[in-house]
Amino acid sequence: MVDYSVNGSVAVLMVNNPPVNALGHAVRVGLKTGIERGAKDSRVRSIIIIGKGQTFPAGADIREFGKPSKEPWLTAVGNLIKTCSKPVVAAIHGTCLGGGLEIALFSHYRIAVSSARVGFPEVTLGLLPGAGGSQRLSRLTGLPVAMEMISSGRHVPARKAKEYGIIDEIVSGDLLKTALKFAQEVQSRPFKDRCLRYKVVPNADRVEEYASAALTQVKKKYKGFEAPVACVQAVRSSAELSYEEGMKRERDLFLQLGQSGQAKAQQYAFFAERAVTKWQMPGGSYKTAKPLPVRSTAVIGAGTMGSGIAVCLLSAGLPVYLLEQNEKFLQSGVKLIESIMAGSVKLGKVSMETAKRAATLLKPTLSYDDIKDVDLVIEAVFENLDIKKEVFSKLDKICKPSAILCTNTSTIDINRISSATSRPEKVVGTHFFAPAYHMKLLENIYGTKTSPEAVATVMKLGKTINKVPVLVKSCHGFLANRMNAPFSSEAIFLVEEGASPQEVDQVNEDFGMPMGPFKVRDLSGIDISWRINREVAKVLGTSITKETRFLGGNRYCGLNDDFYDKGRYGRKTGKGWYLYEKVGGKTAVADPEAEEIINSYRQSRGIVKRKITPQEIFERQFYSAINEGFRILEEGICNMPEEIDISWIYGFSYPKYRGGPMFYASQIGLQRVYDRICHYHETCPYSIHWVPNRLLKKLAENNVPFTQWANHVSKSKM
Ligand SMILES: CC/C=C\CC(=O)SCCNC(=O)CCNC(=O)[C@H](O)C(C)(C)COP(=O)(O)OP(=O)(O)OC[C@H]1O[C@@H](n2cnc3c(N)ncnc32)[C@H](O)[C@@H]1OP(=O)(O)O
């Protein structure tokens, strides 16, 4: 795991643990042995630590977390480096992260290639640097930078790291050769004072000021997360305590976080995010299917979604034809794209260069002829089957045979859309979440005839445009919206029965959702849900009236319709479930007029308002969604619970520190979840979503551990 060799007077410790040279037990043993050997080796006057393959160690081996830790610990290896009688040089390329950066900071010198990145991403795993990183980094960079770097987990590019004082030299050419030269040069220099432990923390007397600014920031930016606060506290201790006491403080905080549910959930989410890249479908998988090259694209429809999707493609450097049916709609889409880009530049999310390039890559057009040669088309027109079929029939006639034809439908079965073409194998769903340029989930959907090649292409596209792609099998509503349906229906039913929108939103926000369901409705537009309900009714061959209490055999609540009738569409009209400071305002306050609408709705239907507890609000929304999640698994719409959890984290901003609804269910205990679902099935009889799922029942009865749920998923689609 660590190869020892001697080149002239320099010992080279080459870490060899692909893919990311994680500092697992064997690597730690190898480093310890290597340093001890180098120290004793009479030929050797300096030592290099370097990574083989793509990177310097990118951190501790996360798979070892939660298992009994085996010596030597990282701190012990680091102390050996620090106290070595010969200078140690860390030669960095790739990603020098977490434990990797700890090793580098224990070393006496750090050189790096310009493409390298360094950072302490432990916070993203619910932890903090646990081998003294919080104590050493602040001695190098000062408190504000250390607090920001460690609490954000940001990867810092090598040049910036040099400015911060983390890297001594940026080098070019062959890293090992340059490192050998560097290591020879430092042999004649005194190096004991290079040990960071003896440095003083710059401006330590201003620690209170820095810590309070950092805490205010992290509490706002990472609301609900425990680790960022602990990161600031650990760095703070480097200025307030002696080195030894600071190390102990860091250790205590590390152990505290390590035992928290948040760390467990965040580490689960780390691996879940990687698991979903290993997609499978009938006839193919990530291993067997090759993506087609995507060098040019088109987006059909320049509305909010189409323009947002175009921004994603343009930001990744892809040329985009933006196609609309008339000049007015086209120009409004172009304006929207320009304003999104300008906003992103202002927020520092996109560089000025990227925005300028995007402007040259955008090709607005009214003609289908212009898109005949593009590699990939994304349709983003109105959510109506007839309109979509018309678009796909045109695309089928005009686009080159190899083109991949994608639809941004949020609910419609892909098979119904692809039936309008002569090439259903090229048709695939690419469902973006609003706002498309911001939300990271890309729900890719395959129909019965979609080819693995088409799927491979959109899975790769997702990565290219910096999204998290999750593959699901087509059905009405797919994964995310199918689970969201009971979640959001229950929110309205709860208000119908007696809760206020504020109470429901509060429960959701206390749990960690960034916005409650009524604030979300006001944001997305009450007129939109009104229209969607009418579309659903149309598909079911019925219509919605004031008397409608059931739709498709399911309970229906007309409260949304009453708000619509009063012209209260949400933020866009300055009032909806809440009142806003102005049309398009963002500050939601409770509105007596809204309360009046709700009260008269209840009265007109003879509903006697009852007090509803926060626990009931929580269970009715989340447990109904979880029940649907098991149905989705049972039907083989997705392959594993990780796909559901990642969809919620990146599609609905579900708090990552809770892992996702399925992981959360496993933590509560499936038997309890199942029992509560049975309870609501009895007490809320008119909603199909409360019929207790059989797979959930089976897993609960057999006490099947979370890691084995996937083995019980329907294999019918494989
Ligand atoms: C006392 C405690 C001391 C230290 C604490 C720590 O060091 S905590 C760990 C800190 N490090 C990290 O959090 C880095 C995590 N990894 C990454 O961010 C990315 O993997 C990385 C290094 C930027 C590379 O990204 P890339 O997109 O190239 O690869 P990918 O993420 O798909 O990873 C490839 C496979 O490697 C596995 N993996 C990555 N990092 C670790 C790790 N630290 N431990 C164990 N395994 C790791 C990852 O799961 C992938 O595996 P696969 O089976 O192929 O899905």
Side-chain angles (χ1 to χ4, degrees), residues 178-224:
T178 321
L180 282 165
K181 193 159 166 272
F182 185 92
Q184 272 166 6
E185 280 167 16
V186 299
Q187 286 170 356
S188 52
R189 297 187 205 160
F191 65 95
K192 290 292 165 199
D193 66 338
R194 300 279 316 167
C195 183
L196 300 180
R197 173 202 190 308
Y198 300 114
K199 288 198 183 301
V200 290
V201 176
N203 295 322
D205 55 326
R206 294 178 67 183
V207 62
E208 190 53 50
E209 173 198 338
Y210 295 142
S212 102
L215 283 173
T216 308
Q217 217 214 345
V218 300
K219 282 181 186 164
K220 188 170 166 218
K221 198 163 173 192
Y222 311 110
K223 201 169 158 219

Side-chain angles (χ1 to χ4, degrees), residues 45 111 147 254 267 286 328 365 537 579 650 652 705-706 713:
R45 294 186 59 209
I111 62 171
M147 284 173 180
F254 181 86
Q267 286 158 32
Y286 74 102
K328 190 176 154 216
T365 178
L579 185 65
Y650 290 113
F652 300 136
F706 183 80
V713 171

Side-chain angles (χ1 to χ4, degrees), residues 20 66 74 81-82 89 102 110 143 220 233 259 433 437 485 491 528 584 628 644 668 703 709:
V20 299
L74 197 61
I81 296 171
K82 185 180 76 177
V89 178
E102 300 269 16
R110 291 159 290 281
L143 293 162
K220 188 170 166 218
Q233 283 165 348
Q259 281 154 11
F433 286 70
Y437 55 88
I528 303 292
E628 192 63 31
I644 295 177
I668 295 170
N703 208 9
W709 291 3

Side-chain angles (χ1 to χ4, degrees), residues 24 47 50 63 99 249 282 291 439 469 552 560 586 715:
I47 300 171
I50 191 167
R63 288 175 211 275
R249 173 86 175 122
M439 297 306 285
N560 195 77
K586 290 180 178 169
K715 294 287 178 283

Side-chain angles (χ1 to χ4, degrees), residues 192 209 229 280 354 441 472 501-502 526 610 627 645 687:
K192 290 292 165 199
E209 173 198 338
V229 173
Q280 289 184 57
T354 307
L441 179 65
V472 305
Q502 295 75 16
I526 286 171
R610 70 181 176 90
N627 197 34
D645 287 337
S687 300

Side-chain angles (χ1 to χ4, degrees), residues 123-350:
V123 69
T124 62
L125 301 167
L127 298 171
L128 50 74
S134 66
Q135 307 302 298
R136 271 187 294 278
L137 190 67
S138 57
R139 285 171 159 78
L140 262 185
T141 66
L143 293 162
V145 169
M147 284 173 180
E148 189 280 328
M149 259 183 78
I150 294 179
S151 63
S152 71
R154 182 165 66 95
H155 296 188
V156 178
R159 288 197 195 284
K160 195 75 192 165
K162 174 142 191 315
E163 268 175 42
Y164 289 159
I166 302 170
I167 301 293
D168 299 308
E169 258 182 46
I170 303 285
V171 298
S172 52
D174 182 87
L175 178 61
L176 180 56
K177 266 193 202 155
T178 321
L180 282 165
K181 193 159 166 272
F182 185 92
Q184 272 166 6
E185 280 167 16
V186 299
Q187 286 170 356
S188 52
R189 297 187 205 160
F191 65 95
K192 290 292 165 199
D193 66 338
R194 300 279 316 167
C195 183
L196 300 180
R197 173 202 190 308
Y198 300 114
K199 288 198 183 301
V200 290
V201 176
N203 295 322
D205 55 326
R206 294 178 67 183
V207 62
E208 190 53 50
E209 173 198 338
Y210 295 142
S212 102
L215 283 173
T216 308
Q217 217 214 345
V218 300
K219 282 181 186 164
K220 188 170 166 218
K221 198 163 173 192
Y222 311 110
K223 201 169 158 219
F225 285 84
E226 289 164 2
V229 173
C231 287
V232 174
Q233 283 165 348
V235 177
R236 173 189 201 142
S237 70
S238 70
E240 289 177 339
L241 304 173
S242 69
Y243 179 79
E244 286 74 18
E245 286 168 335
M247 288 293 282
K248 185 173 175 311
R249 173 86 175 122
E250 183 199 82
R251 191 82 207 140
D252 290 346
L253 287 166
F254 181 86
L255 292 175
Q256 226 170 289
L257 289 177
Q259 281 154 11
S260 78
Q262 291 205 354
K264 203 173 163 189
Q266 286 177 249
Q267 286 158 32
Y268 157 74
F270 174 86
F271 287 115
E273 194 170 330
R274 279 143 188 92
V276 303
T277 63
K278 303 189 168 58
W279 60 270
Q280 289 184 57
M281 64 180 281
S285 72
Y286 74 102
K287 283 187 192 154
T288 57
K290 273 217 156 41
L292 292 173
V294 177
R295 298 189 195 96
S296 54
T297 68
V299 174
I300 317 293
T304 313
M305 282 314 282
S307 302
I309 294 168
V311 168
C312 301
L313 298 166
L314 293 165
S315 304
L318 286 166
V320 180
Y321 282 99
L322 183 69
L323 193 146
E324 253 300 350
Q325 50 184 331
N326 65 45
E327 193 60 35
K328 190 176 154 216
F329 290 168
L330 189 60
Q331 284 318 314
S332 106
V334 171
K335 279 215 177 78
L336 184 53
I337 291 171
E338 286 167 356
S339 94
I340 296 171
M341 276 293 181
S344 302
V345 171
K346 213 168 163 189
L347 289 172
K349 289 182 176 171
V350 163

Side-chain angles (χ1 to χ4, degrees), residues 481-598:
N481 279 343
R482 211 174 126 172
M483 276 178 86
N484 190 47
F487 180 82
S488 113
S489 299
E490 282 298 329
I492 291 236
F493 298 158
L494 285 157
V495 171
E496 186 178 44
E497 291 167 36
S500 69
Q502 295 75 16
E503 283 170 328
V504 174
D505 279 356
Q506 195 60 52
V507 168
N508 280 266
E509 288 163 26
D510 287 349
F511 181 70
M513 301 297 284
M515 250 188 221
F518 291 98
K519 287 189 188 144
V520 171
R521 276 171 186 265
D522 274 356
L523 176 64
S524 55
I526 286 171
D527 53 327
I528 303 292
S529 29
W530 182 89
R531 212 170 295 146
I532 290 172
N533 285 343
R534 261 95 207 134
E535 282 293 320
V536 172
K538 202 167 126 194
V539 171
L540 292 167
T542 179
S543 58
I544 296 170
T545 67
K546 285 272 173 219
E547 276 65 52
T548 305
R549 302 298 302 271
F550 296 97
L551 193 60
N554 250 328
R555 175 174 170 183
Y556 180 80
C557 169
L559 255 174
N560 195 77
D561 301 337
D562 284 10
F563 276 80
Y564 174 86
D565 291 344
K566 292 257 183 316
R568 299 181 66 114
Y569 296 171
R571 283 191 191 188
K572 62 175 87 162
T573 55
K575 47 189 179 174
W577 295 94
Y578 289 89
L579 185 65
Y580 296 86
E581 75 279 19
K582 58 175 184 197
V583 169
K586 290 180 178 169
T587 314
V589 291
D591 184 8
E593 205 178 291
E595 201 183 325
E596 189 42 49
I597 297 173
I598 298 167

